[in-house]
Amino acid sequence: MIDDRPVLDDHLHLDPDNNRGIDAVRDFARVGGTHLLVVNKPSWHLGVEAETGEDFRAVFERTIEIVDEASSELEGRAWPVLGVHPGLISRLVDDRGFAPQEARDLMQAGIDVAAEYVDAGEALALKSGRPHYEVDDDVWAASNAVMRHAFEHGADLECAVQLHAEASEDMTEVAAWAEDAGMPAHRVVKHYASGRLEGPTPSVMADKERLETAAERGEPFLMETDYIDDPDRPGAVLGPKTVPRRVRWLLENGHDEAVRIAHVETPMAVYGIDTESTLAGDE
């Protein structure tokens, strides 16, 4: 721990079979990390080429297993975030010959299965989004339909939805879609965010410049690494030790309130999780 504080990485991936898995969790804990939100890896990275929504279940089950193992290594705990990576639509349309509408239906079916785990209390939140790269209009429309489907579940289940989407500092339209579905905008989390974002809650990549911007704004935010646990892309994103190290840096620079916002107040507001009581072993 760092001065008895909870330290949460809001978005990272663990590969229990092909790369570091629990060793990455131990690295995180060793430098003061206490809580993790573990997002399932893209289904095809785990060898699943889905034909039906049920085919995603193996991905979700394996993620839940690694999260249970991760919790045993932490002074706090880990939670699963489950869903369908928005990049799947390109794989389906470009590589497997799906029409965009067929890809939409399959991805929505995968979200339906993920929602079952949230409803059962086995997962904390859903994952969805849209491509962060250029696609044609039909694929873009299908992707937005998948995301809005996730918001419908978020409203019904009163859970958060993490989004993988294009770089932007203004996603008020997307937040409005969530509200149209009956889901509070603050429960929409833009992963891989910069320090400034209008609309959803930003999950800020833990580099110093972005964090300084977020800290100075004083608005709700989360911190993440997007660690991908991929042996072929070791430097693609930040390593698992980064969030605890950046928490120390923020504290050294007088941003105590920002640390509390990112690791106590925002997790409670967005996900309904109490990082302080889970740290004390009360949950």
Side-chain angles (χ1 to χ4, degrees):
M1 282 188 292
I2 300 172
D3 299 334
D4 296 324
R5 300 171 186 265
V7 174
L8 169 73
D9 188 331
D10 181 63
H11 184 110
L12 88 168
H13 308 274
L14 296 172
D15 191 328
D17 303 310
N18 302 305
N19 203 20
R20 300 198 64 225
I22 291 299
D23 284 341
V25 177
R26 293 183 181 124
D27 278 354
F28 172 74
R30 195 174 296 120
V31 294
T34 62
H35 294 77
L36 293 171
L37 266 61
V38 180
V39 184
N40 63 265
K41 295 194 77 172
S43 49
W44 64 96
H45 286 191
L46 297 182
V48 173
E49 298 290 356
E51 299 281 353
T52 69
E54 281 297 312
D55 292 340
F56 291 95
R57 198 175 293 277
V59 176
F60 303 151
E61 294 280 358
R62 194 69 186 98
T63 304
I64 290 168
E65 288 173 4
I66 193 69
V67 167
D68 287 343
E69 292 181 51
S71 286
S72 69
E73 299 289 339
L74 298 170
E75 293 193 61
R77 60 164 294 184
W79 292 271
V81 176
L82 304 180
V84 178
H85 193 287
L88 177 62
I89 197 164
S90 296
R91 189 172 182 86
L92 293 172
V93 172
D94 296 342
D95 299 342
R96 295 178 56 192
F98 279 61
Q101 295 78 11
E102 293 172 327
R104 175 201 64 202
D105 293 347
L106 174 58
M107 293 170 71
Q108 287 181 340
I111 295 287
D112 292 342
V113 174
E116 293 177 19
Y117 290 93
V118 177
D119 191 33
E122 296 180 72
L124 180 67
L126 296 172
K127 162 191 173 178
S128 188
R130 61 191 184 190
H132 63 276
Y133 47 86
E134 282 196 30
V135 294
D136 66 34
D137 290 346
D138 287 345
V139 170
W140 186 250
S143 298
N144 282 326
V146 174
M147 182 168 58
R148 296 181 78 153
H149 189 68
F151 292 156
E152 292 171 4
H153 281 297
D156 291 342
L157 297 168
E158 298 184 348
C159 74
V161 177
Q162 285 198 11
L163 297 183
H164 178 113
E166 71 278 8
S168 176
E169 293 188 351
D170 186 348
M171 298 190 75
T172 50
E173 180 184 43
V174 170
W177 291 347
E179 291 180 330
D180 288 345
M183 180 181 171
H186 73 273
R187 285 198 178 134
V188 180
V189 177
K190 168 65 171 72
H191 120 82
Y192 213 104
S194 66
R196 183 183 306 278
L197 179 65
E198 300 301 324
T201 297
S203 185
V204 178
M205 283 294 285
D207 67 58
K208 292 180 179 180
E209 184 176 348
R210 296 188 194 205
L211 290 175
E212 195 161 41
T213 299
E216 290 174 353
R217 290 186 77 209
E219 299 290 329
F221 76 103
L222 298 151
M223 290 172 61
E224 69 166 78
T225 57
D226 190 28
Y227 176 67
I228 59 174
D229 204 9
D230 185 340
D232 296 325
R233 301 171 64 204
V237 287
L238 302 175
K241 297 178 183 178
T242 309
V243 165
R245 287 174 170 170
R246 293 293 185 262
V247 166
R248 292 183 193 277
W249 175 80
L250 286 167
L251 294 171
E252 288 165 2
N253 285 275
H255 292 302
D256 295 55
E257 181 59 24
V259 170
R260 181 166 183 82
I261 287 171
H263 299 276
V264 178
E265 294 176 7
T266 308
M268 174 59 80
V270 172
Y271 300 109
I273 56 177
D274 187 335
T275 56
E276 292 179 314
S277 71
T278 49
L279 191 62
D282 295 338
E283 286 189 17

